[in-house]
Amino acid sequence: MNFIEKYTIRDKKLCDELIKYHNDNKEYKREGVTLTGIDKNVKDSIDVIFHNTSKNESIQKYFNEISSFAQQYMHKYKIISNLNTEYGNNIQYYPPGGGYKDWHYERTGINNGFHIISHRQLVYMTYLNDVNDGGETQFMNQNSKFKHQKGLTLIRPTDFTHYHR
């Protein structure tokens, strides 16, 4: 069992709306950042941060979709604890030749002065467009690859078990 589940956003117009949100956003747009800062050899992207408290209609519709997928995931794996969105979320644009090129995983935390705390249990990613000439996400330990297909959403654990690039 690899714990990577696939879901599909049925309304592909929502993907287009999220791309427009990214393109039009000026306030939360920045170069892609990793734990070590900005390094285009590691991560070459333009990111827009968004939150589940956003009043933007497209963001709200997207979180409704993600919530439904998360409920299905929790049911399948009998997760009984509550799952919450605690961190800023990213819409990432990768230019041709760009991407998150290094193996990484999402279990990062906040420093409370004594040690790193992370409450994040699952992570999701949704592909907002099709990429026919390249564009795949590779998972090291699962020996899995996923082509970027508009609306495809992956949900998986955040930990070192799911190194990807």
Side-chain angles (χ1 to χ4, degrees), residues 47-63:
D47 299 354
V48 169
I49 297 171
F50 65 98
H51 302 276
N52 60 348
T53 57
S54 173
K55 302 296 182 214
N56 179 279
E57 187 176 320
S58 298
I59 298 297
Q60 290 176 349
K61 287 192 294 188
Y62 180 63
F63 272 114

Side-chain angles (χ1 to χ4, degrees), residues 5-12 14-16 18-19 50 61-63 65-67 69 89-94 123-131 137 147-156:
E5 294 298 326
K6 300 188 308 185
Y7 304 93
T8 302
I9 293 186
R10 289 179 185 85
D11 182 3
K12 301 299 188 261
L14 178 55
C15 296
D16 298 334
L18 293 171
I19 291 171
F50 65 98
K61 287 192 294 188
Y62 180 63
F63 272 114
E65 290 279 334
I66 293 300
S67 294
F69 300 156
N89 302 270
N90 283 321
I91 298 175
Q92 300 173 333
Y93 166 75
Y94 295 115
V123 66
Y124 63 88
M125 72 169 61
T126 300
Y127 303 110
L128 300 180
N129 59 1
D130 294 316
V131 180
T137 302
K147 299 268 313 155
H148 296 190
Q149 297 173 332
K150 187 175 188 173
L152 174 64
T153 300
L154 304 177
I155 297 181
R156 66 185 187 279

Side-chain angles (χ1 to χ4, degrees), residues 115-128:
H115 59 280
I116 302 294
I117 300 172
S118 180
H119 300 288
R120 194 174 0 176
Q121 297 167 294
L122 298 175
V123 66
Y124 63 88
M125 72 169 61
T126 300
Y127 303 110
L128 300 180

Side-chain angles (χ1 to χ4, degrees), residues 10-153:
R10 289 179 185 85
D11 182 3
K12 301 299 188 261
K13 289 185 290 184
L14 178 55
C15 296
D16 298 334
E17 291 171 18
L18 293 171
I19 291 171
K20 182 175 179 0
Y21 179 85
H22 181 280
N23 290 340
D24 293 348
N25 195 291
K26 303 288 186 250
E27 185 174 12
Y28 301 111
K29 191 174 280 188
R30 66 180 187 192
E31 288 191 60
V33 178
T34 68
L35 291 175
T36 59
I38 296 173
D39 182 347
K40 290 190 180 272
N41 292 316
V42 174
K43 181 182 181 191
D44 184 3
S45 67
I46 302 296
D47 299 354
V48 169
I49 297 171
F50 65 98
H51 302 276
N52 60 348
T53 57
S54 173
K55 302 296 182 214
N56 179 279
E57 187 176 320
S58 298
I59 298 297
Q60 290 176 349
K61 287 192 294 188
Y62 180 63
F63 272 114
N64 286 337
E65 290 279 334
I66 293 300
S67 294
S68 172
F69 300 156
Q71 289 295 321
Q72 293 172 54
Y73 190 99
M74 291 172 64
H75 179 74
K76 177 173 182 170
Y77 293 107
K78 298 176 180 30
I79 299 172
I80 57 173
S81 61
N82 290 329
L83 299 177
N84 298 309
T85 303
E86 295 183 8
Y87 302 89
N89 302 270
N90 283 321
I91 298 175
Q92 300 173 333
Y93 166 75
Y94 295 115
Y100 204 137
K101 301 167 187 178
D102 280 3
W103 291 106
H104 65 285
Y105 59 95
E106 314 312 324
R107 179 71 105 180
T108 58
I110 56 173
N111 189 333
N112 71 354
F114 300 104
H115 59 280
I116 302 294
I117 300 172
S118 180
H119 300 288
R120 194 174 0 176
Q121 297 167 294
L122 298 175
V123 66
Y124 63 88
M125 72 169 61
T126 300
Y127 303 110
L128 300 180
N129 59 1
D130 294 316
V131 180
N132 296 322
D133 56 342
E136 65 182 16
T137 302
Q138 304 168 345
F139 288 88
M140 178 190 296
N141 298 320
Q142 290 70 26
N143 198 27
S144 298
K145 297 178 183 180
F146 295 91
K147 299 268 313 155
H148 296 190
Q149 297 173 332
K150 187 175 188 173
L152 174 64
T153 300

